[in-house]
Amino acid sequence: MRQVPRHKLLPIFLIILFDEIGLTVGTPILPSLCFDPKTRLFAITTSHAVRSMWYGILSGLPHLIAIAAVALLSIFSDYWGRKKILLLAAISVFIYCLFTAIGIFYGYLSFIILGGFISGLCARTEPIAAAVVADHSTAERKLINMGYLQLFISIGAFIGPLIGGLFAERFFFNQLNFSAPFILGTFFSIVTFLLVKYYFKESYTPKKESSAFYWSSFTHLLNKQTVAISILLILTQISWRTYYQFMPAVLKVNLHANTLYIGVFVALISLYLSVAALFGLKWLAHWFDFKKIARLSVYVLFIGLIVNAIATISPHSAWSKSLLWITALPIAAADVIVYCVITTLYSNAVSPDDQGKIMGLSFMLVMSIWAMTGFIGGLLGALNINLPVWLTPLPLLPLIFDSKIFEKIE
């Protein structure tokens, strides 16, 4: 396959950028929605345990719905083309932001749940974007191009929380009550829709004989190679997502941080993700093969999570606060690098006609993990808000002390 010029990938990169902004404007808002007494969702007398459980539910619900939806949409992209699915995703982000804004404004928890349902059902552009990148990449350039994709995702995840944290409490708060970021999110979703509609050109033309949908075309992707890659994905994502989901709650409860503080913290994580995807991945790819890059990333992620867990034991001390910000760098960098390796390994393990399906499989696993960490973390957080973060290093232990998983990866 001939590598297309890099500017040909720009449309999908811009689409994923604006899509990610729309999806992440609410990241720093969720802790305040659940734990701040000024929210209209809960009475001031609502206990911490109840708030923590709702935080877990609202955090995990979109991913629970997405478990099946992402797989189906990714598979359908191999039968209908990428563009139709991308349009559907952009529309669903608009609906998600609109319903959530209404729910926050009027204090309707049911509308926020419905928004999360819509978000999980359709608002998942990343696996389709990864399939588009695979459509346009040679084997030699695929890892680097996946890194560029993660770069734009990270930039979007940097801008979104900053906007959310800035606008949540600083503009017409008495009237809007945390809903302003989601109102802005609807505008970003409109931009995403227009980019897909008028700028993006279809990257994959389905074969006529593949126009029908068969489950067997999805299940045949499971083999020793993809199973080993999936185990690596599952274990690393459990640790990473628990950290990413519950550090904002830790900051809110322990430090009484406002939305801007949390937004800057989450945005900084995304900045580290983008720098690692842009520079770190290239440097490592020059010196090491995929297997060594993955192992090194796991070690760095493990050490970073241990130090972060220690820092949360005494979060009010100056050294602990500093460590919480410092450890975000190795944790985020290690996660994005190992994730880029995993998506590249998945892509290389299947034929060009199965790129959408394999990315759907990987993202289905990711959504399953994110739903699980949200629900279980919410229950653990009801006992102690630090508990989910303290447990983050544990899933990586099999990868640290047993090399069999890495030996099966080619």
Side-chain angles (χ1 to χ4, degrees):
M1 173 183 175
R2 176 176 167 271
Q3 172 68 25
V4 300
R6 195 172 302 171
H7 70 271
K8 292 289 186 180
L9 291 170
L10 184 59
I12 192 61
F13 290 158
L14 291 178
I15 288 166
I16 197 72
L17 169 66
F18 284 98
D19 182 76
E20 194 68 17
I21 293 173
L23 281 174
T24 59
V25 289
T27 302
I29 313 304
L30 185 57
S32 293
L33 283 179
C34 294
F35 297 105
D36 197 307
K38 298 190 296 293
T39 180
R40 294 172 184 165
L41 293 185
F42 303 105
I44 296 178
T45 56
T46 305
S47 67
H48 168 80
V50 172
R51 292 174 182 271
S52 178
M53 286 188 287
W54 273 110
Y55 180 83
I57 291 172
L58 296 177
S59 178
L61 176 63
H63 311 304
L64 177 66
I65 304 301
I67 292 173
V70 166
L72 290 172
L73 293 174
S74 300
I75 294 170
F76 287 142
S77 77
D78 282 340
Y79 295 105
W80 301 341
R82 317 296 188 209
K83 188 165 186 172
K84 293 179 181 178
I85 307 302
L86 290 173
L87 286 171
L88 179 62
I91 294 172
S92 67
V93 175
F94 176 84
I95 298 174
Y96 153 68
C97 290
L98 181 62
F99 274 62
T100 304
I102 294 173
I104 296 172
F105 184 83
Y106 290 105
Y108 295 157
L109 185 59
S110 58
F111 271 67
I112 297 177
I113 293 174
L114 183 58
F117 183 90
I118 296 296
S119 171
L121 189 63
C122 300
R124 288 293 175 263
T125 305
E126 185 176 339
I128 312 302
V132 173
V133 171
D135 293 338
H136 285 317
S137 301
T138 61
E140 294 77 14
R141 288 287 307 178
K142 192 175 294 182
L143 176 62
I144 301 302
N145 287 342
M146 290 294 181
Y148 282 127
L149 176 65
Q150 291 301 316
L151 169 65
F152 279 84
I153 291 173
S154 301
I155 294 173
F158 171 79
I159 297 173
L162 276 184
I163 292 175
L166 179 63
F167 281 84
E169 299 182 55
R170 280 164 173 72
F171 300 96
F172 309 105
F173 179 76
N174 291 335
Q175 294 78 26
L176 298 179
N177 190 257
F178 297 117
S179 66
F182 293 95
I183 296 173
L184 291 175
T186 61
F187 291 101
F188 285 107
S189 66
I190 293 172
V191 174
T192 304
F193 179 86
L194 295 176
L195 285 171
V196 177
K197 181 70 174 178
Y198 298 107
Y199 187 37
F200 177 78
K201 294 182 179 179
E202 181 60 67
S203 64
Y204 178 75
T205 303
K207 296 179 180 179
K208 291 183 179 180
E209 59 267 26
S210 299
S211 59
F213 174 81
Y214 299 106
W215 272 109
S216 60
S217 64
F218 181 64
T219 57
H220 84 277
L221 300 176
L222 299 177
N223 52 52
K224 291 183 179 180
Q225 175 75 356
T226 56
V227 168
I229 299 169
S230 299
I231 293 173
L232 175 62
L233 175 67
I234 290 169
L235 295 177
T236 53
Q237 283 296 304
I238 290 175
S239 293
W240 157 253
R241 188 60 188 184
T242 303
Y243 167 83
Y244 189 77
Q245 279 176 315
F246 286 91
M247 276 306 299
V250 168
L251 296 176
K252 180 63 183 178
V253 175
N254 289 344
L255 302 180
H256 306 290
N258 60 21
T259 54
L260 182 58
Y261 186 98
I262 296 173
V264 172
F265 183 85
V266 174
L268 187 65
I269 291 176
S270 300
L271 178 63
Y272 293 152
L273 291 171
S274 62
V275 172
L278 182 60
F279 299 109
L281 191 61
K282 279 186 176 181
W283 184 83
L284 290 171
H286 180 73
W287 293 101
F288 305 108
D289 60 23
F290 289 170
K291 190 183 300 185
K292 291 181 179 178
I293 294 174
R295 296 195 71 166
L296 178 61
S297 299
V298 168
Y299 293 147
V300 172
L301 181 60
F302 181 71
I303 294 171
L305 290 172
I306 288 179
V307 176
N308 181 80
I310 294 172
T312 59
I313 295 175
S314 180
H316 294 284
S317 63
W319 67 270
S320 293
K321 290 180 181 178
S322 299
L323 275 181
L324 293 177
W325 288 80
I326 293 171
T327 54
L329 172 58
I331 292 172
D335 167 72
V336 74
I337 289 173
V338 73
Y339 187 75
C340 288
V341 170
I342 289 170
T343 54
T344 304
L345 290 169
Y346 269 129
S347 178
N348 290 343
V350 301
S351 70
D353 294 329
D354 290 325
Q355 294 299 312
K357 289 185 280 292
I358 194 63
M359 294 307 165
L361 172 64
S362 67
F363 218 67
M364 181 176 64
L365 290 174
V366 169
M367 291 297 100
S368 301
I369 295 162
W370 292 5
M372 179 189 69
T373 56
F375 295 138
I376 296 177
L379 295 175
L380 295 174
L383 302 175
N384 187 318
I385 197 62
N386 296 310
L387 190 54
V389 176
W390 290 345
L391 298 177
T392 52
L394 296 184
L396 299 178
L397 290 177
L399 298 175
I400 298 294
F401 296 106
D402 189 353
S403 60
K404 291 181 180 178
I405 295 174
F406 292 103
E407 291 172 357
K408 294 178 182 178
I409 295 175
E410 298 178 357

